[in-house]
Amino acid sequence: IAGITQAPTSQILAAGRRMTLRCTQDMRHNAMYWYRQDLGLGLRLIHYSNTAGTTGKGEVPDGYSVSRANTDDFPLTLASAVPSQTSVYFCASSASAGAGNEQFFGPGTRLTVL
Amino acid sequence: GQNIDQPTEMTATEGAIVQINCTYQTSGFNGLFWYQQHAGEAPTFLSYNVLDGLEEKGRFSSFLSRSKGYSYLLLKELQMKDSASYLCAVRDSNYQLIWGAGTKLIIKP
Protein backbone atom coordinates (compact mmCIF):
# COMPACT_ATOMS: atom_id res chain seq x y z
CA ILE A 1 0.00 0.00 0.00
CA ALA A 2 1.10 3.55 -0.57
CA GLY A 3 -0.24 6.54 1.33
CA ILE A 4 -3.39 6.24 3.40
CA THR A 5 -6.09 3.62 3.10
CA GLN A 6 -9.53 3.65 4.68
CA ALA A 7 -12.11 0.91 5.10
CA PRO A 8 -14.89 0.44 4.37
CA THR A 9 -15.41 2.64 1.29
CA SER A 10 -19.05 3.04 2.20
CA GLN A 11 -21.45 1.66 4.78
CA ILE A 12 -25.14 1.81 5.63
CA LEU A 13 -25.70 1.37 9.34
CA ALA A 14 -28.76 1.06 11.54
CA ALA A 15 -29.05 3.62 14.33
CA GLY A 16 -27.75 2.32 17.64
CA ARG A 17 -25.16 0.01 16.08
CA ARG A 18 -21.46 0.21 16.83
CA MET A 19 -19.11 0.86 13.93
CA THR A 20 -15.34 1.18 13.53
CA LEU A 21 -13.83 3.02 10.58
CA ARG A 22 -10.31 1.89 9.80
CA CYS A 23 -7.38 4.02 8.72
CA THR A 24 -3.84 2.89 7.94
CA GLN A 25 -0.87 4.88 6.63
CA ASP A 26 2.51 3.63 5.47
CA MET A 27 4.37 6.95 5.39
CA ARG A 28 5.58 6.70 9.02
CA HIS A 29 3.81 9.96 9.76
CA ASN A 30 3.61 10.94 13.41
CA ALA A 31 0.35 12.89 13.29
CA MET A 32 -3.04 11.55 12.22
CA TYR A 33 -6.51 13.09 12.04
CA TRP A 34 -10.16 12.22 11.56
CA TYR A 35 -12.47 14.69 9.82
CA ARG A 36 -16.08 14.65 8.76
CA GLN A 37 -17.27 16.52 5.69
CA ASP A 38 -20.88 17.59 5.32
CA LEU A 39 -22.47 19.47 2.42
CA GLY A 40 -22.07 23.22 2.81
CA LEU A 41 -19.68 22.92 5.74
CA GLY A 42 -15.92 22.81 5.91
CA LEU A 43 -14.03 19.77 7.07
CA ARG A 44 -14.49 19.45 10.81
CA LEU A 45 -11.90 17.80 13.04
CA ILE A 46 -13.24 14.95 15.18
CA HIS A 47 -10.11 13.63 16.89
CA TYR A 48 -6.41 13.80 16.31
CA SER A 49 -3.19 12.12 17.41
CA ASN A 50 0.14 13.94 17.38
CA THR A 51 2.10 10.75 18.00
CA ALA A 52 1.50 7.08 18.75
CA GLY A 53 0.02 6.60 22.20
CA THR A 54 -1.59 10.06 22.40
CA THR A 55 -4.95 11.38 21.20
CA GLY A 56 -6.86 14.64 21.47
CA LYS A 57 -10.35 15.98 20.88
CA GLY A 58 -11.15 18.15 17.92
CA GLU A 59 -14.10 20.41 17.17
CA VAL A 60 -16.81 17.69 17.08
CA PRO A 61 -15.70 14.72 19.25
CA ASP A 62 -19.02 13.73 20.84
CA GLY A 63 -20.17 10.23 19.92
CA TYR A 64 -16.75 9.22 18.59
CA SER A 65 -13.64 7.64 20.08
CA VAL A 66 -10.18 6.86 18.72
CA SER A 67 -7.06 4.95 19.68
CA ARG A 68 -3.48 5.10 18.45
CA ALA A 69 -1.73 1.92 19.53
CA ASN A 70 0.96 2.23 16.85
CA THR A 71 2.23 4.69 14.23
CA ASP A 72 0.34 3.25 11.28
CA ASP A 73 -3.24 2.74 12.48
CA PHE A 74 -5.85 5.20 13.72
CA PRO A 75 -9.34 3.65 13.99
CA LEU A 76 -12.44 5.76 14.63
CA THR A 77 -15.32 4.16 16.57
CA LEU A 78 -18.93 5.22 16.74
CA ALA A 79 -20.21 3.60 19.93
CA SER A 80 -23.91 3.96 19.11
CA ALA A 81 -24.55 5.50 15.71
CA VAL A 82 -27.16 8.24 15.23
CA PRO A 83 -28.54 9.67 11.95
CA SER A 84 -26.66 12.97 12.48
CA GLN A 85 -23.44 11.01 12.05
CA THR A 86 -24.30 10.42 8.39
CA SER A 87 -21.34 12.01 6.62
CA VAL A 88 -18.18 11.41 4.63
CA TYR A 89 -15.29 10.63 6.93
CA PHE A 90 -11.70 11.40 5.95
CA CYS A 91 -8.59 10.20 7.70
CA ALA A 92 -5.45 12.28 7.19
CA SER A 93 -1.83 12.23 8.29
CA SER A 94 1.14 14.59 8.37
CA ALA A 95 4.81 14.12 9.12
CA SER A 96 4.32 16.01 12.35
CA ALA A 97 1.81 18.41 13.89
CA GLY A 98 4.14 21.34 13.15
CA ALA A 99 3.20 24.45 11.25
CA GLY A 100 4.28 23.81 7.67
CA ASN A 101 3.41 20.16 7.40
CA GLU A 102 0.75 19.41 4.81
CA GLN A 103 -1.88 16.80 5.53
CA PHE A 104 -2.36 13.82 3.24
CA PHE A 105 -5.87 12.43 2.99
CA GLY A 106 -7.29 8.95 2.59
CA PRO A 107 -10.04 8.27 0.04
CA GLY A 108 -12.83 8.63 2.59
CA THR A 109 -15.64 6.50 3.99
CA ARG A 110 -19.22 7.40 3.11
CA LEU A 111 -21.39 6.48 6.11
CA THR A 112 -25.18 6.52 6.17
CA VAL A 113 -26.98 5.98 9.49
CA LEU A 114 -30.65 5.12 9.20
CA GLY B 1 -15.20 32.26 17.18
CA GLN B 2 -13.09 31.10 14.29
CA ASN B 3 -14.27 31.71 10.75
CA ILE B 4 -13.04 31.08 7.23
CA ASP B 5 -15.03 32.68 4.37
CA GLN B 6 -14.87 31.72 0.71
CA PRO B 7 -17.34 32.21 -2.16
CA THR B 8 -19.60 29.18 -2.54
CA GLU B 9 -19.30 28.88 -6.30
CA MET B 10 -17.48 30.52 -9.22
CA THR B 11 -17.64 30.01 -12.97
CA ALA B 12 -14.80 30.66 -15.42
CA THR B 13 -13.92 29.92 -19.02
CA GLU B 14 -11.31 27.46 -20.23
CA GLY B 15 -8.01 29.24 -20.87
CA ALA B 16 -8.89 32.20 -18.64
CA ILE B 17 -7.64 33.27 -15.17
CA VAL B 18 -9.65 33.02 -11.97
CA GLN B 19 -8.98 34.30 -8.44
CA ILE B 20 -10.56 32.58 -5.45
CA ASN B 21 -10.58 34.67 -2.28
CA CYS B 22 -10.41 33.54 1.32
CA THR B 23 -10.77 35.69 4.44
CA TYR B 24 -10.17 34.38 7.91
CA GLN B 25 -10.58 35.19 11.59
CA THR B 26 -8.84 32.66 13.78
CA SER B 27 -7.29 32.37 17.21
CA GLY B 28 -3.68 32.66 16.16
CA PHE B 29 -2.11 32.02 12.78
CA ASN B 30 0.44 29.40 11.85
CA GLY B 31 0.05 29.24 8.11
CA LEU B 32 -2.61 29.00 5.42
CA PHE B 33 -3.19 26.07 3.09
CA TRP B 34 -5.05 25.64 -0.18
CA TYR B 35 -6.35 22.21 -1.19
CA GLN B 36 -8.11 20.97 -4.31
CA GLN B 37 -10.95 18.46 -4.06
CA HIS B 38 -12.56 16.82 -7.07
CA ALA B 39 -16.11 15.58 -6.58
CA GLY B 40 -16.18 12.30 -4.68
CA GLU B 41 -12.45 12.37 -3.98
CA ALA B 42 -10.11 13.33 -1.15
CA PRO B 43 -8.58 16.81 -0.80
CA THR B 44 -5.06 17.17 -2.22
CA PHE B 45 -2.51 19.80 -1.20
CA LEU B 46 -1.91 22.78 -3.51
CA SER B 47 -0.02 25.46 -1.57
CA TYR B 48 1.13 26.79 1.78
CA ASN B 49 1.71 30.41 2.83
CA VAL B 50 3.05 31.54 6.18
CA LEU B 51 4.66 34.87 5.23
CA ASP B 52 3.05 37.75 3.36
CA GLY B 53 3.38 37.69 -0.38
CA LEU B 54 2.91 35.54 -3.42
CA GLU B 55 3.93 31.89 -3.81
CA GLU B 56 3.96 30.67 -7.39
CA LYS B 57 3.79 27.04 -8.42
CA GLY B 58 3.24 26.49 -12.12
CA ARG B 59 -0.25 27.58 -13.16
CA PHE B 60 -1.26 28.09 -9.52
CA SER B 61 -0.25 30.98 -7.25
CA SER B 62 -1.31 31.80 -3.70
CA PHE B 63 -1.13 35.16 -1.96
CA LEU B 64 -1.27 36.01 1.74
CA SER B 65 -1.79 39.22 3.71
CA ARG B 66 -1.71 38.46 7.42
CA SER B 67 -2.60 42.01 8.45
CA LYS B 68 -5.80 41.81 6.39
CA GLY B 69 -6.61 38.18 7.21
CA TYR B 70 -6.80 37.53 3.48
CA SER B 71 -5.54 35.09 0.91
CA TYR B 72 -6.30 34.26 -2.68
CA LEU B 73 -5.59 31.38 -5.01
CA LEU B 74 -4.92 32.35 -8.61
CA LEU B 75 -5.37 29.78 -11.35
CA LYS B 76 -4.04 30.62 -14.81
CA GLU B 77 -4.65 29.01 -18.20
CA LEU B 78 -7.67 27.18 -16.88
CA GLN B 79 -8.24 23.63 -18.02
CA MET B 80 -11.40 21.54 -17.78
CA LYS B 81 -9.66 19.31 -15.22
CA ASP B 82 -9.45 22.32 -12.88
CA SER B 83 -13.18 21.96 -12.25
CA ALA B 84 -13.18 21.10 -8.55
CA SER B 85 -13.72 22.57 -5.10
CA TYR B 86 -10.91 24.65 -3.63
CA LEU B 87 -10.56 24.59 0.14
CA CYS B 88 -8.86 27.25 2.24
CA ALA B 89 -7.59 26.20 5.67
CA VAL B 90 -5.78 28.12 8.43
CA ARG B 91 -3.60 26.52 11.10
CA ASP B 92 -4.56 28.15 14.40
CA SER B 93 -2.70 28.69 17.66
CA ASN B 94 -3.30 25.03 18.62
CA TYR B 95 -1.78 23.94 15.30
CA GLN B 96 -5.12 22.55 14.17
CA LEU B 97 -6.51 23.30 10.70
CA ILE B 98 -9.69 25.36 10.49
CA TRP B 99 -11.37 24.80 7.12
CA GLY B 100 -13.53 26.95 4.91
CA ALA B 101 -16.57 25.34 3.26
CA GLY B 102 -14.81 25.43 -0.11
CA THR B 103 -15.37 27.16 -3.44
CA LYS B 104 -16.82 25.08 -6.25
CA LEU B 105 -15.16 26.16 -9.50
CA ILE B 106 -17.01 25.40 -12.72
CA ILE B 107 -15.02 25.64 -15.95
CA LYS B 108 -16.93 26.18 -19.17
CA PRO B 109 -15.47 25.53 -22.63
Side-chain angles (χ1 to χ4, degrees), chain B:
Chain B
Q2 308 204 89
N3 197 49
I4 312 282
D5 284 320
Q6 312 177 228
T8 302
E9 187 174 295
M10 298 181 71
T11 301
T13 304
E14 190 177 15
I17 300 173
V18 70
Q19 177 175 311
I20 302 174
N21 296 326
C22 170
T23 58
Y24 63 89
Q25 291 178 310
T26 56
S27 58
F29 178 85
N30 284 297
L32 185 144
F33 294 80
W34 284 96
Y35 280 76
Q36 180 189 60
Q37 186 177 25
H38 285 100
E41 297 183 6
T44 55
F45 170 77
L46 286 177
S47 68
Y48 171 69
N49 295 70
V50 66
L51 300 176
D52 290 350
L54 189 68
E55 293 282 342
E56 297 186 79
K57 194 184 290 187
R59 293 190 299 116
F60 292 8
S61 303
S62 56
F63 172 83
L64 174 67
S65 169
R66 289 172 296 169
S67 63
K68 296 182 179 178
Y70 168 71
S71 173
Y72 67 73
L73 180 69
L74 192 71
L75 292 75
K76 302 176 185 176
E77 302 169 14
L78 286 170
Q79 302 174 10
M80 297 304 292
K81 67 178 183 179
D82 297 330
S83 292
S85 289
Y86 292 85
L87 314 181
C88 174
V90 172
R91 196 182 293 278
D92 69 7
S93 56
N94 294 318
Y95 287 88
Q96 299 304 336
L97 285 181
I98 309 301
W99 296 80
T103 299
K104 182 177 181 180
L105 178 62
I106 299 168
I107 309 296
K108 295 186 174 179

Side-chain angles (χ1 to χ4, degrees), chain A residues 18-89:
Chain A
R18 180 183 178 89
M19 174 76 190
T20 295
L21 308 185
R22 299 184 298 280
C23 174
T24 299
Q25 54 103 359
D26 66 355
M27 297 178 282
R28 308 304 294 172
H29 282 174
N30 285 314
M32 297 188 75
Y33 314 85
W34 274 107
Y35 292 95
R36 60 177 290 173
Q37 187 174 40
D38 302 290
L39 201 61
L41 298 177
L43 289 160
R44 290 183 291 169
L45 183 65
I46 304 170
H47 285 285
Y48 65 94
S49 169
N50 288 337
T51 189
T54 69
T55 63
K57 293 181 179 180
E59 179 186 357
V60 289
D62 294 344
Y64 306 94
S65 63
V66 292
S67 61
R68 186 87 185 277
N70 57 60
T71 297
D72 298 344
D73 301 300
F74 191 43
L76 176 74
T77 297
L78 289 68
S80 179
V82 294
S84 62
Q85 292 178 313
T86 293
S87 188
V88 179
Y89 291 86

